[in-house]
Amino acid sequence: MLALQRSSGGVMKVATIDDCHLAYWVAIAENLTPFVVGKLCATVETTVGSTPIFKDAKCVGHSYDPHLNWAQGGPLLEKYAVALYPYLDGNGWYGHACNGRGTRMEGSAPLLAAMRSIVATRYGKDVSDTDMRTFLTQPLPLARALRT
């Protein structure tokens, strides 16, 4: 796992985000309602390949990890016309959204590179680290109200 590189002003470099942070920003790009559950990203909405997340025997959301889950991330490759190609040494991948007109990003796996490219093409090479919301204890209507 790469360490997050933070810039001044409360932003994160898209080139280094992964895990929950990356899933969160892809969910925003997909017009979903993401929230953080511990170190995982979840959405209010059910998506292909998601599993329910329970708290106190009540479903509070659904898993979302398009950078790891081909059922979730695979369709986004076509939607955003992401070109993928391996490093010449075979130790990583480039992802380039919008048929090569978007922002090229790198990653250790194809989905990681692709999701970074989608986020960077849509929001720029830096994203805010203060926009992520943690509200597992809040009711789902509040999650919908906080949707960006």
Side-chain angles (χ1 to χ4, degrees):
M1 174 193 290
L2 296 171
L4 291 180
Q5 292 182 358
R6 294 181 188 270
S7 301
S8 60
V11 297
M12 298 178 291
K13 299 283 185 193
V14 173
T16 61
I17 63 173
D18 57 10
D19 297 329
C20 182
H21 296 91
L22 183 56
Y24 181 91
W25 282 100
V26 173
I28 293 291
E30 283 295 287
N31 201 27
L32 298 172
T33 310
F35 60 99
V36 180
V37 180
K39 294 184 178 183
L40 303 174
C41 183
T43 60
V44 171
E45 302 83 6
T46 302
T47 59
V48 173
S50 68
T51 56
I53 297 172
F54 292 92
K55 181 179 183 196
D56 300 327
K58 182 178 179 184
C59 180
V60 295
H62 305 275
S63 65
Y64 192 69
D65 52 359
H67 59 293
L68 299 172
N69 184 335
W70 279 95
Q72 292 175 338
L76 301 181
L77 299 179
E78 182 177 1
K79 179 178 180 179
Y80 292 96
V82 178
L84 289 169
Y85 40 102
Y87 290 170
L88 291 176
D89 65 6
N91 291 322
W93 290 83
Y94 294 108
H96 211 158
C98 301
N99 288 324
R101 292 185 308 275
T103 304
R104 185 183 80 177
M105 288 280 137
E106 302 176 12
S108 58
L111 281 179
L112 181 59
M115 296 308 115
R116 285 178 178 164
S117 181
I118 290 168
V119 171
T121 298
R122 181 102 186 240
Y123 300 109
K125 292 184 179 181
D126 296 324
V127 292
S128 171
D129 66 354
T130 57
D131 284 349
M132 292 185 62
R133 297 181 182 93
T134 303
F135 47 76
L136 178 58
T137 59
Q138 302 297 325
L140 289 180
L142 176 60
R144 290 186 186 101
L146 291 174
R147 187 176 187 174
T148 46

